[in-house]
Coordinates of all heavy atoms in Angstrom, one line a residue:
F1 N 6.7 -8.4 -7.2 CA 5.8 -7.3 -7.7 C 4.3 -7.7 -7.6 O 3.5 -7.0 -8.1 CB 6.2 -6.8 -9.1 CG 7.5 -6.2 -9.1 CD1 8.6 -6.9 -9.7 CD2 7.8 -5.0 -8.5 CE1 9.8 -6.4 -9.8 CE2 9.1 -4.5 -8.6 CZ 10.1 -5.2 -9.2
A2 N 4.0 -8.9 -7.1 CA 2.7 -9.4 -7.1 C 2.0 -9.1 -5.7 O 2.7 -9.2 -4.7 CB 2.6 -10.9 -7.4
F3 N 0.7 -8.8 -5.8 CA 0.0 -8.6 -4.6 C -0.4 -10.0 -3.9 O -0.7 -10.9 -4.6 CB -1.3 -7.9 -4.9 CG -2.3 -7.8 -3.7 CD1 -2.1 -6.9 -2.7 CD2 -3.4 -8.7 -3.6 CE1 -2.9 -6.9 -1.6 CE2 -4.2 -8.6 -2.6 CZ -4.0 -7.7 -1.5
F4 N -0.4 -10.0 -2.6 CA -0.8 -11.2 -1.9 C -1.6 -10.8 -0.7 O -1.1 -10.0 0.1 CB 0.4 -12.1 -1.5 CG 0.0 -13.4 -0.9 CD1 -0.5 -14.4 -1.6 CD2 0.1 -13.5 0.5 CE1 -0.9 -15.6 -1.0 CE2 -0.3 -14.7 1.1 CZ -0.8 -15.8 0.4
Q5 N -2.8 -11.3 -0.5 CA -3.6 -11.0 0.6 C -3.1 -11.7 1.8 O -3.1 -12.9 1.9 CB -5.1 -11.4 0.3 CG -6.0 -11.2 1.5 CD -6.1 -9.8 1.9 OE1 -5.5 -9.4 2.9 NE2 -6.8 -8.9 1.2
V6 N -2.7 -10.9 2.8 CA -2.1 -11.5 4.0 C -3.2 -11.7 5.1 O -2.9 -12.4 6.1 CB -0.9 -10.7 4.6 CG1 0.2 -10.7 3.6 CG2 -1.3 -9.2 4.9
N7 N -4.3 -11.1 5.0 CA -5.4 -11.2 6.0 C -6.2 -12.4 5.6 O -7.2 -12.4 4.8 CB -6.2 -9.9 6.0 CG -7.2 -9.9 7.1 OD1 -7.7 -11.0 7.5 ND2 -7.6 -8.7 7.5
T8 N -5.8 -13.6 6.2 CA -6.4 -14.8 5.8 C -7.9 -14.9 6.2 O -8.7 -15.5 5.4 CB -5.6 -16.0 6.4 OG1 -5.6 -15.9 7.8 CG2 -4.3 -16.1 5.8
L9 N -8.3 -14.3 7.3 CA -9.7 -14.4 7.7 C -10.6 -13.7 6.6 O -11.6 -14.2 6.2 CB -9.9 -13.7 9.0 CG -11.3 -13.7 9.6 CD1 -11.8 -15.1 9.8 CD2 -11.3 -13.0 10.9
V10 N -10.1 -12.5 6.2 CA -10.9 -11.8 5.2 C -10.8 -12.5 3.8 O -11.9 -12.6 3.1 CB -10.3 -10.3 5.0 CG1 -10.9 -9.6 3.8 CG2 -10.6 -9.5 6.2
F11 N -9.7 -13.1 3.5 CA -9.6 -13.8 2.3 C -10.5 -15.0 2.2 O -11.2 -15.3 1.2 CB -8.1 -14.3 2.1 CG -7.8 -14.9 0.8 CD1 -7.9 -14.2 -0.4 CD2 -7.4 -16.2 0.7 CE1 -7.6 -14.8 -1.6 CE2 -7.2 -16.8 -0.5 CZ -7.2 -16.1 -1.7
E12 N -10.6 -15.8 3.3 CA -11.5 -16.9 3.4 C -12.9 -16.5 3.2 O -13.7 -17.2 2.5 CB -11.3 -17.7 4.7 CG -10.0 -18.4 4.7 CD -9.7 -19.1 6.1 OE1 -10.6 -19.0 7.0 OE2 -8.6 -19.6 6.2
K13 N -13.3 -15.4 3.9 CA -14.7 -14.9 3.7 C -15.0 -14.5 2.3 O -16.1 -14.7 1.8 CB -14.9 -13.8 4.7 CG -15.0 -14.2 6.2 CD -15.3 -13.1 7.1 CE -15.4 -13.6 8.5 NZ -15.7 -12.5 9.5
M14 N -14.0 -13.8 1.7 CA -14.1 -13.3 0.3 C -14.3 -14.5 -0.6 O -15.2 -14.5 -1.5 CB -12.9 -12.5 -0.1 CG -13.0 -12.0 -1.5 SD -11.5 -11.2 -2.0 CE -10.4 -12.6 -2.2
L15 N -13.6 -15.6 -0.4 CA -13.7 -16.8 -1.3 C -15.0 -17.4 -1.2 O -15.6 -17.8 -2.2 CB -12.6 -17.8 -0.9 CG -11.2 -17.4 -1.3 CD1 -10.2 -18.4 -0.8 CD2 -11.0 -17.3 -2.8
A16 N -15.6 -17.5 0.0 CA -16.9 -18.1 0.2 C -17.9 -17.2 -0.4 O -18.9 -17.8 -1.1 CB -17.2 -18.2 1.7
L17 N -17.8 -15.9 -0.3 CA -18.8 -15.0 -1.0 C -18.7 -15.1 -2.5 O -19.7 -15.2 -3.1 CB -18.5 -13.6 -0.5 CG -19.5 -12.5 -0.9 CD1 -20.9 -12.8 -0.3 CD2 -19.0 -11.1 -0.5
I18 N -17.5 -15.1 -3.0 CA -17.3 -15.2 -4.5 C -17.9 -16.6 -5.0 O -18.7 -16.6 -6.0 CB -15.8 -15.2 -4.9 CG1 -15.3 -13.8 -4.7 CG2 -15.6 -15.6 -6.4 CD1 -13.8 -13.7 -4.8
S19 N -17.6 -17.6 -4.3 CA -18.1 -19.0 -4.7 C -19.6 -19.0 -4.7 O -20.3 -19.5 -5.6 CB -17.5 -20.0 -3.8 OG -17.9 -21.3 -4.3
S20 N -20.2 -18.5 -3.7 CA -21.7 -18.5 -3.5 C -22.3 -17.6 -4.6 O -23.3 -17.9 -5.2 CB -22.0 -18.0 -2.1 OG -23.4 -17.8 -2.0
F21 N -21.8 -16.3 -4.7 CA -22.4 -15.4 -5.6 C -22.3 -15.8 -7.1 O -23.2 -15.7 -7.8 CB -21.7 -14.0 -5.5 CG -22.2 -13.0 -6.4 CD1 -23.4 -12.3 -6.1 CD2 -21.5 -12.6 -7.5 CE1 -23.8 -11.3 -7.0 CE2 -22.0 -11.7 -8.4 CZ -23.1 -11.0 -8.1
A22 N -21.1 -16.4 -7.4 CA -20.9 -16.8 -8.8 C -21.5 -18.2 -9.1 O -21.5 -18.6 -10.3 CB -19.4 -16.8 -9.1
E23 N -22.0 -18.9 -8.1 CA -22.6 -20.2 -8.2 C -21.6 -21.2 -9.0 O -22.0 -21.8 -9.9 CB -23.9 -20.1 -8.9 CG -24.9 -19.3 -8.1 CD -26.3 -19.2 -8.8 OE1 -26.5 -19.7 -9.9 OE2 -27.2 -18.7 -8.2
I24 N -20.4 -21.2 -8.5 CA -19.3 -22.0 -9.1 C -19.6 -23.5 -8.8 O -19.9 -23.9 -7.7 CB -18.0 -21.6 -8.6 CG1 -17.6 -20.2 -9.0 CG2 -16.9 -22.6 -9.1 CD1 -16.4 -19.6 -8.3
D25 N -19.7 -24.3 -9.9 CA -19.9 -25.7 -9.7 C -19.0 -26.5 -10.8 O -18.2 -25.9 -11.5 CB -21.3 -26.1 -9.8 CG -22.0 -25.7 -11.2 OD1 -21.2 -25.7 -12.2 OD2 -23.2 -25.6 -11.3
Q26 N -19.2 -27.8 -10.9 CA -18.4 -28.6 -11.7 C -18.6 -28.4 -13.2 O -17.9 -28.9 -14.1 CB -18.6 -30.1 -11.4 CG -18.0 -30.5 -10.1 CD -16.5 -30.2 -10.0 OE1 -15.7 -30.6 -10.8 NE2 -16.1 -29.5 -8.9
D27 N -19.5 -27.5 -13.6 CA -19.7 -27.1 -15.0 C -19.2 -25.7 -15.3 O -19.3 -25.3 -16.4 CB -21.2 -27.1 -15.3 CG -21.9 -28.5 -15.3 OD1 -21.2 -29.4 -15.7 OD2 -23.0 -28.6 -14.8
T28 N -18.5 -25.1 -14.3 CA -18.0 -23.7 -14.4 C -16.6 -23.7 -14.9 O -15.7 -24.4 -14.3 CB -18.1 -23.0 -13.0 OG1 -19.5 -23.0 -12.6 CG2 -17.6 -21.6 -13.1
T29 N -16.3 -22.9 -15.9 CA -15.0 -22.5 -16.2 C -14.8 -21.1 -15.6 O -15.5 -20.2 -15.9 CB -14.8 -22.4 -17.8 OG1 -15.0 -23.7 -18.3 CG2 -13.4 -21.9 -18.1
L30 N -13.8 -21.1 -14.7 CA -13.6 -19.9 -13.9 C -12.4 -19.1 -14.6 O -11.3 -19.6 -14.8 CB -13.2 -20.2 -12.5 CG -12.7 -19.1 -11.6 CD1 -13.9 -18.2 -11.3 CD2 -12.2 -19.7 -10.3
F31 N -12.7 -17.9 -15.0 CA -11.7 -17.0 -15.6 C -11.2 -16.1 -14.5 O -12.0 -15.2 -14.0 CB -12.3 -16.2 -16.8 CG -12.6 -17.1 -18.0 CD1 -13.9 -17.5 -18.2 CD2 -11.6 -17.4 -18.8 CE1 -14.2 -18.3 -19.2 CE2 -11.9 -18.2 -19.9 CZ -13.2 -18.7 -20.1
D32 N -10.0 -16.2 -14.1 CA -9.4 -15.4 -13.1 C -8.5 -14.3 -13.8 O -7.3 -14.5 -14.1 CB -8.6 -16.2 -12.1 CG -8.1 -15.5 -10.9 OD1 -8.4 -14.3 -10.8 OD2 -7.4 -16.2 -10.1
I33 N -9.1 -13.2 -14.1 CA -8.5 -12.1 -14.9 C -7.7 -11.2 -13.9 O -8.3 -10.9 -12.8 CB -9.5 -11.3 -15.7 CG1 -10.4 -12.2 -16.5 CG2 -8.8 -10.3 -16.6 CD1 -9.7 -13.1 -17.5
C34 N -6.5 -10.9 -14.2 CA -5.6 -10.2 -13.3 C -5.4 -11.0 -12.1 O -5.5 -10.6 -10.9 CB -6.2 -8.8 -12.9 SG -6.5 -7.7 -14.3
C35 N -5.0 -12.3 -12.3 CA -5.0 -13.3 -11.3 C -3.8 -13.2 -10.3 O -3.8 -13.9 -9.3 CB -4.9 -14.7 -11.9 SG -3.4 -15.0 -12.9
G36 N -2.8 -12.4 -10.6 CA -1.7 -12.3 -9.7 C -1.0 -13.6 -9.6 O -0.7 -14.3 -10.6
T37 N -0.8 -14.0 -8.3 CA -0.1 -15.3 -8.1 C -1.1 -16.5 -8.1 O -0.7 -17.6 -7.8 CB 0.6 -15.3 -6.7 OG1 -0.4 -15.0 -5.7 CG2 1.7 -14.2 -6.7
G38 N -2.3 -16.3 -8.5 CA -3.3 -17.3 -8.7 C -4.0 -17.8 -7.4 O -4.8 -18.8 -7.5
A39 N -3.9 -17.1 -6.3 CA -4.5 -17.6 -5.1 C -6.0 -17.8 -5.2 O -6.5 -18.8 -4.7 CB -4.2 -16.6 -3.9
I40 N -6.7 -16.8 -5.8 CA -8.2 -17.0 -5.8 C -8.6 -18.2 -6.7 O -9.4 -19.0 -6.3 CB -8.9 -15.7 -6.3 CG1 -8.7 -14.6 -5.3 CG2 -10.3 -15.9 -6.6 CD1 -9.1 -13.2 -5.7
G41 N -8.0 -18.2 -7.9 CA -8.3 -19.3 -8.8 C -8.0 -20.7 -8.2 O -8.8 -21.6 -8.3
L42 N -6.8 -20.8 -7.5 CA -6.4 -22.0 -6.9 C -7.4 -22.4 -5.8 O -7.8 -23.6 -5.7 CB -5.0 -22.0 -6.4 CG -3.9 -21.8 -7.5 CD1 -2.6 -21.7 -6.8 CD2 -3.9 -22.9 -8.4
C43 N -7.8 -21.5 -5.0 CA -8.7 -21.8 -3.9 C -10.1 -22.2 -4.4 O -10.7 -23.0 -3.7 CB -8.7 -20.7 -2.9 SG -7.2 -20.4 -2.0
L44 N -10.5 -21.6 -5.5 CA -11.8 -22.0 -6.0 C -11.8 -23.1 -7.0 O -12.9 -23.6 -7.4 CB -12.4 -20.7 -6.6 CG -12.7 -19.5 -5.7 CD1 -13.2 -18.3 -6.4 CD2 -13.7 -19.9 -4.6
S45 N -10.7 -23.6 -7.3 CA -10.6 -24.7 -8.3 C -11.2 -26.0 -7.9 O -11.7 -26.7 -8.8 CB -9.1 -24.9 -8.7 OG -8.4 -25.6 -7.6
H46 N -11.4 -26.2 -6.6 CA -12.0 -27.4 -6.2 C -13.5 -27.5 -6.6 O -14.0 -28.6 -6.9 CB -11.9 -27.6 -4.7 CG -10.5 -27.6 -4.2 ND1 -9.7 -28.6 -4.4 CD2 -9.8 -26.7 -3.4 CE1 -8.5 -28.4 -3.8 NE2 -8.6 -27.2 -3.3
S47 N -14.1 -26.3 -6.7 CA -15.5 -26.3 -7.1 C -15.7 -26.2 -8.6 O -16.8 -26.5 -9.1 CB -16.2 -25.0 -6.4 OG -16.0 -25.1 -5.1
A48 N -14.7 -25.8 -9.3 CA -14.9 -25.5 -10.8 C -14.4 -26.6 -11.6 O -13.7 -27.5 -11.2 CB -14.1 -24.2 -11.1
K49 N -14.9 -26.6 -12.9 CA -14.5 -27.6 -13.9 C -13.1 -27.3 -14.4 O -12.3 -28.2 -14.6 CB -15.5 -27.6 -15.0 CG -15.1 -28.5 -16.2 CD -16.1 -28.4 -17.3 CE -15.8 -29.3 -18.4 NZ -16.8 -29.2 -19.5
R50 N -12.8 -26.0 -14.5 CA -11.6 -25.5 -15.1 C -11.3 -24.1 -14.6 O -12.2 -23.3 -14.4 CB -11.7 -25.5 -16.6 CG -10.5 -25.2 -17.4 CD -10.8 -25.3 -18.9 NE -9.7 -24.9 -19.7 CZ -9.7 -24.5 -21.0 NH1 -10.9 -24.5 -21.6 NH2 -8.7 -24.2 -21.6
V51 N -10.0 -23.8 -14.5 CA -9.6 -22.4 -14.1 C -8.6 -21.9 -15.1 O -7.6 -22.6 -15.3 CB -9.0 -22.4 -12.6 CG1 -8.4 -21.1 -12.3 CG2 -10.0 -22.9 -11.6
I52 N -8.8 -20.7 -15.6 CA -7.9 -20.1 -16.5 C -7.6 -18.7 -15.9 O -8.4 -17.9 -15.8 CB -8.5 -19.9 -17.9 CG1 -8.9 -21.3 -18.5 CG2 -7.6 -19.2 -18.8 CD1 -9.7 -21.2 -19.8
G53 N -6.3 -18.6 -15.5 CA -5.8 -17.3 -15.0 C -5.0 -16.6 -16.0 O -4.3 -17.1 -16.8
V54 N -5.3 -15.3 -16.0 CA -4.5 -14.4 -17.0 C -4.0 -13.2 -16.1 O -4.7 -12.6 -15.3 CB -5.5 -13.8 -18.1 CG1 -4.7 -12.9 -19.0 CG2 -6.1 -15.0 -18.8
E55 N -2.7 -12.9 -16.4 CA -2.1 -11.8 -15.6 C -1.1 -11.1 -16.5 O -0.3 -11.8 -17.3 CB -1.4 -12.4 -14.4 CG -0.4 -11.5 -13.7 CD -1.1 -10.2 -13.1 OE1 -2.2 -10.4 -12.4 OE2 -0.6 -9.1 -13.4
L56 N -1.0 -9.8 -16.5 CA -0.1 -9.0 -17.3 C 1.4 -9.2 -16.8 O 2.3 -9.2 -17.7 CB -0.5 -7.5 -17.2 CG 0.2 -6.6 -18.1 CD1 0.0 -7.0 -19.6 CD2 -0.3 -5.2 -17.9
I57 N 1.6 -9.3 -15.5 CA 2.9 -9.4 -15.0 C 3.4 -10.9 -15.1 O 2.9 -11.8 -14.4 CB 3.0 -8.9 -13.5 CG1 2.5 -7.5 -13.5 CG2 4.4 -9.1 -13.0 CD1 2.3 -6.9 -12.1
E58 N 4.4 -11.1 -15.9 CA 4.9 -12.4 -16.2 C 5.5 -13.1 -14.9 O 5.3 -14.3 -14.7 CB 6.0 -12.4 -17.3 CG 6.3 -13.8 -17.8 CD 7.1 -13.8 -19.1 OE1 7.1 -12.7 -19.8 OE2 7.7 -14.8 -19.4
Q59 N 6.1 -12.4 -14.1 CA 6.7 -13.0 -12.9 C 5.6 -13.5 -12.0 O 5.7 -14.6 -11.4 CB 7.5 -12.0 -12.1 CG 8.2 -12.6 -10.8 CD 9.1 -13.8 -11.1 OE1 9.9 -13.7 -12.0 NE2 8.9 -14.9 -10.4
A60 N 4.4 -12.8 -11.9 CA 3.3 -13.3 -11.1 C 2.7 -14.6 -11.7 O 2.4 -15.5 -10.9 CB 2.2 -12.2 -11.1
V61 N 2.7 -14.7 -13.0 CA 2.3 -16.0 -13.7 C 3.2 -17.1 -13.3 O 2.8 -18.2 -13.0 CB 2.1 -15.8 -15.2 CG1 1.8 -17.1 -15.9 CG2 1.0 -14.8 -15.5
L62 N 4.5 -16.8 -13.3 CA 5.5 -17.9 -12.9 C 5.2 -18.3 -11.5 O 5.3 -19.5 -11.1 CB 6.9 -17.4 -13.1 CG 7.3 -17.1 -14.6 CD1 8.7 -16.5 -14.6 CD2 7.3 -18.3 -15.4
N63 N 4.9 -17.3 -10.6 CA 4.6 -17.6 -9.2 C 3.3 -18.4 -9.1 O 3.3 -19.4 -8.3 CB 4.5 -16.3 -8.4 CG 5.8 -15.6 -8.2 OD1 5.7 -14.4 -8.2 ND2 6.9 -16.3 -8.1
A64 N 2.3 -18.1 -9.9 CA 1.1 -18.9 -9.9 C 1.3 -20.3 -10.3 O 0.8 -21.3 -9.7 CB 0.1 -18.2 -10.9
R65 N 2.1 -20.5 -11.3 CA 2.5 -21.9 -11.8 C 3.3 -22.6 -10.7 O 3.0 -23.8 -10.5 CB 3.2 -21.8 -13.1 CG 2.4 -21.4 -14.3 CD 3.2 -21.2 -15.5 NE 2.4 -20.7 -16.6 CZ 2.9 -20.1 -17.7 NH1 4.2 -19.9 -17.8 NH2 2.1 -19.7 -18.6
E66 N 4.1 -21.9 -10.0 CA 4.9 -22.5 -8.9 C 3.9 -22.9 -7.8 O 4.1 -24.0 -7.2 CB 5.9 -21.6 -8.4 CG 7.1 -21.4 -9.3 CD 8.1 -20.3 -8.8 OE1 8.0 -19.9 -7.7 OE2 8.9 -19.9 -9.7
N67 N 2.9 -22.1 -7.5 CA 1.9 -22.4 -6.5 C 1.2 -23.6 -6.8 O 0.9 -24.4 -5.9 CB 0.9 -21.2 -6.3 CG 1.5 -20.0 -5.6 OD1 2.5 -20.2 -4.8 ND2 1.0 -18.8 -5.8
V68 N 0.9 -23.8 -8.1 CA 0.2 -25.1 -8.5 C 1.1 -26.3 -8.2 O 0.7 -27.3 -7.6 CB -0.2 -25.1 -10.0 CG1 -0.7 -26.5 -10.5 CG2 -1.2 -24.0 -10.3
M69 N 2.4 -26.2 -8.6 CA 3.3 -27.3 -8.3 C 3.5 -27.5 -6.8 O 3.6 -28.7 -6.4 CB 4.6 -27.0 -9.0 CG 4.5 -26.9 -10.5 SD 3.6 -28.3 -11.3 CE 4.7 -29.6 -11.0
M70 N 3.6 -26.5 -6.0 CA 3.8 -26.7 -4.6 C 2.6 -27.2 -3.9 O 2.7 -27.8 -2.8 CB 4.2 -25.3 -4.0 CG 5.6 -24.8 -4.4 SD 6.2 -23.4 -3.5 CE 4.8 -22.4 -3.2
N71 N 1.4 -27.1 -4.5 CA 0.2 -27.5 -3.9 C -0.5 -28.6 -4.7 O -1.7 -28.9 -4.5 CB -0.8 -26.3 -3.8 CG -0.3 -25.3 -2.8 OD1 -0.3 -25.6 -1.6 ND2 0.2 -24.2 -3.3
K72 N 0.2 -29.3 -5.6 CA -0.4 -30.3 -6.5 C -1.0 -31.5 -5.7 O -1.9 -32.1 -6.2 CB 0.5 -30.7 -7.6 CG 1.8 -31.5 -7.2 CD 2.6 -31.8 -8.4 CE 3.7 -32.7 -8.2 NZ 4.5 -32.9 -9.4
A73 N -0.6 -31.7 -4.5 CA -1.2 -32.8 -3.7 C -2.6 -32.5 -3.4 O -3.4 -33.4 -3.2 CB -0.4 -33.1 -2.4
N74 N -2.9 -31.2 -3.3 CA -4.3 -30.8 -3.0 C -5.1 -30.2 -4.2 O -6.2 -29.7 -4.0 CB -4.2 -29.7 -1.9 CG -3.6 -30.2 -0.7 OD1 -3.9 -31.3 -0.2 ND2 -2.7 -29.4 -0.1
L75 N -4.5 -30.2 -5.4 CA -5.1 -29.6 -6.5 C -5.1 -30.6 -7.7 O -4.3 -31.5 -7.8 CB -4.3 -28.4 -7.0 CG -4.2 -27.2 -6.1 CD1 -3.2 -26.2 -6.6 CD2 -5.6 -26.6 -5.9
D76 N -6.1 -30.4 -8.6 CA -6.1 -31.1 -9.8 C -5.4 -30.2 -10.9 O -6.1 -29.4 -11.5 CB -7.5 -31.5 -10.3 CG -7.6 -32.2 -11.6 OD1 -6.6 -32.5 -12.2 OD2 -8.7 -32.6 -11.9
E77 N -4.1 -30.4 -11.0 CA -3.3 -29.5 -11.8 C -3.7 -29.5 -13.3 O -3.4 -28.6 -14.0 CB -1.8 -29.7 -11.6 CG -1.4 -31.1 -12.0 CD 0.1 -31.4 -11.6 OE1 0.9 -30.7 -12.2 OE2 0.3 -32.3 -10.8
D78 N -4.4 -30.6 -13.7 CA -4.7 -30.7 -15.1 C -5.9 -29.7 -15.5 O -6.1 -29.4 -16.7 CB -5.2 -32.1 -15.5 CG -4.0 -33.1 -15.4 OD1 -2.9 -32.7 -15.6 OD2 -4.3 -34.3 -15.1
K79 N -6.6 -29.2 -14.5 CA -7.7 -28.3 -14.9 C -7.3 -26.8 -14.6 O -8.2 -25.9 -14.6 CB -8.9 -28.7 -14.1 CG -9.0 -28.5 -12.6 CD -10.3 -29.0 -12.1 CE -10.5 -28.6 -10.7 NZ -11.8 -29.0 -10.2
I80 N -6.1 -26.5 -14.3 CA -5.6 -25.2 -13.9 C -4.6 -24.7 -14.9 O -3.6 -25.4 -15.1 CB -5.1 -25.1 -12.5 CG1 -6.2 -25.6 -11.5 CG2 -4.7 -23.7 -12.2 CD1 -5.6 -25.8 -10.1
E81 N -4.7 -23.5 -15.5 CA -3.7 -23.0 -16.4 C -3.6 -21.5 -16.2 O -4.6 -20.8 -15.9 CB -4.0 -23.3 -17.8 CG -5.3 -22.8 -18.3 CD -5.7 -23.4 -19.7 OE1 -6.2 -24.5 -19.7 OE2 -5.5 -22.6 -20.7
F82 N -2.4 -21.0 -16.3 CA -2.1 -19.5 -16.2 C -1.4 -19.0 -17.4 O -0.5 -19.7 -17.9 CB -1.3 -19.3 -14.9 CG -2.0 -19.5 -13.6 CD1 -1.8 -20.7 -12.9 CD2 -3.0 -18.7 -13.2 CE1 -2.5 -21.0 -11.8 CE2 -3.7 -18.9 -12.0 CZ -3.4 -20.1 -11.3
H83 N -1.8 -17.8 -17.8 CA -1.2 -17.2 -19.0 C -0.8 -15.8 -18.8 O -1.5 -15.1 -18.1 CB -2.2 -17.2 -20.2 CG -2.7 -18.6 -20.5 ND1 -2.1 -19.4 -21.4 CD2 -3.8 -19.3 -20.0 CE1 -2.8 -20.5 -21.5 NE2 -3.8 -20.5 -20.7
A84 N 0.4 -15.4 -19.3 CA 0.9 -14.1 -19.2 C 0.5 -13.2 -20.4 O 0.6 -13.7 -21.5 CB 2.4 -14.1 -19.0
G85 N 0.0 -12.0 -20.1 CA -0.4 -11.1 -21.2 C -1.7 -10.4 -20.9 O -2.3 -10.6 -19.9
R86 N -2.1 -9.6 -21.9 CA -3.3 -8.8 -21.8 C -4.5 -9.8 -22.0 O -4.5 -10.5 -23.0 CB -3.3 -7.7 -22.7 CG -2.2 -6.7 -22.5 CD -2.2 -5.5 -23.5 NE -3.5 -4.8 -23.5 CZ -3.7 -3.7 -22.7 NH1 -2.7 -3.3 -21.9 NH2 -4.8 -3.1 -22.7
A87 N -5.5 -9.7 -21.2 CA -6.6 -10.6 -21.3 C -7.2 -10.6 -22.7 O -7.6 -11.7 -23.2 CB -7.6 -10.3 -20.2
E88 N -7.4 -9.4 -23.2 CA -8.0 -9.3 -24.5 C -7.2 -10.0 -25.7 O -7.8 -10.4 -26.7 CB -8.4 -7.9 -24.9 CG -7.2 -6.9 -25.0 CD -6.9 -6.2 -23.7 OE1 -7.2 -6.8 -22.6 OE2 -6.3 -5.1 -23.8
A89 N -5.9 -10.2 -25.4 CA -5.1 -10.8 -26.4 C -5.0 -12.3 -26.1 O -4.9 -13.1 -27.0 CB -3.7 -10.2 -26.4
V90 N -4.9 -12.7 -24.9 CA -4.7 -14.1 -24.5 C -5.9 -14.9 -24.6 O -5.8 -16.1 -25.0 CB -4.1 -14.1 -23.0 CG1 -4.1 -15.5 -22.5 CG2 -2.8 -13.5 -22.9
L91 N -7.1 -14.4 -24.2 CA -8.3 -15.2 -24.1 C -8.9 -15.7 -25.4 O -9.3 -16.9 -25.5 CB -9.3 -14.5 -23.3 CG -9.0 -14.5 -21.8 CD1 -10.1 -13.7 -21.0 CD2 -9.0 -15.9 -21.2
P92 N -9.0 -14.9 -26.5 CA -9.7 -15.3 -27.7 C -9.2 -16.7 -28.3 O -10.0 -17.5 -28.6 CB -9.5 -14.2 -28.7 CG -9.4 -13.0 -27.8 CD -8.6 -13.5 -26.6
P93 N -7.9 -17.0 -28.3 CA -7.5 -18.3 -28.8 C -7.8 -19.4 -27.9 O -7.9 -20.6 -28.3 CB -5.9 -18.1 -29.0 CG -5.6 -16.7 -28.9 CD -6.7 -16.1 -28.1
I94 N -7.9 -19.1 -26.6 CA -8.2 -20.2 -25.6 C -9.6 -20.6 -25.6 O -10.0 -21.7 -25.4 CB -7.7 -19.7 -24.2 CG1 -6.2 -19.5 -24.2 CG2 -8.1 -20.7 -23.1 CD1 -5.7 -18.9 -22.9
V95 N -10.5 -19.5 -25.6 CA -11.9 -19.7 -25.5 C -12.5 -20.1 -26.8 O -12.9 -20.6 -27.5 CB -12.6 -18.5 -25.0 CG1 -14.1 -18.7 -24.6 CG2 -11.9 -17.9 -23.8

């Protein structure tokens, strides 16, 4: 039930634009709200200090966590976390 961008050319351009616009650097905590399977947060995690993904659909969060495990050779898994639930309920205890 999760969305996945299949147009990789557009996705890569979008990531570059997001990273540049948001000025993501090693001091940035990236909040990926409505993160789905975590693709955006995972791809931008190299530039960020920390990534916190929040998604209402629990299966998508499980997929996001699986994506971290499948790509852990290329990711710093200690700085990436995904949570299931409504952002307004999940974030206050974390932040």
Side-chain angles (χ1 to χ4, degrees):
F1 296 108
F3 170 79
F4 183 77
Q5 176 57 260
V6 295
N7 187 331
T8 55
L9 182 61
V10 169
F11 186 65
E12 289 173 4
K13 287 181 179 182
M14 180 187 70
L15 289 173
L17 187 63
I18 290 169
S19 183
S20 173
F21 178 79
E23 298 179 354
I24 298 169
D25 61 25
Q26 289 302 308
D27 293 325
T28 302
T29 296
L30 175 64
F31 293 96
D32 190 358
I33 310 302
C34 301
C35 66
T37 60
I40 293 173
L42 293 178
C43 291
L44 295 175
S45 69
H46 301 292
S47 302
K49 177 181 180 181
R50 184 176 176 203
V51 174
I52 300 172
V54 180
E55 171 59 52
L56 189 59
I57 301 170
E58 193 166 340
Q59 183 59 50
V61 172
L62 295 175
N63 293 146
R65 291 176 182 156
E66 288 174 16
N67 284 337
V68 172
M69 297 311 294
M70 290 187 326
N71 293 287
K72 67 183 185 177
N74 300 314
L75 298 171
D76 181 355
E77 60 187 297
D78 293 332
K79 69 178 188 177
I80 304 168
E81 57 190 84
F82 293 102
H83 302 272
R86 297 178 62 87
E88 61 269 26
V90 171
L91 287 176
I94 295 172
V95 188

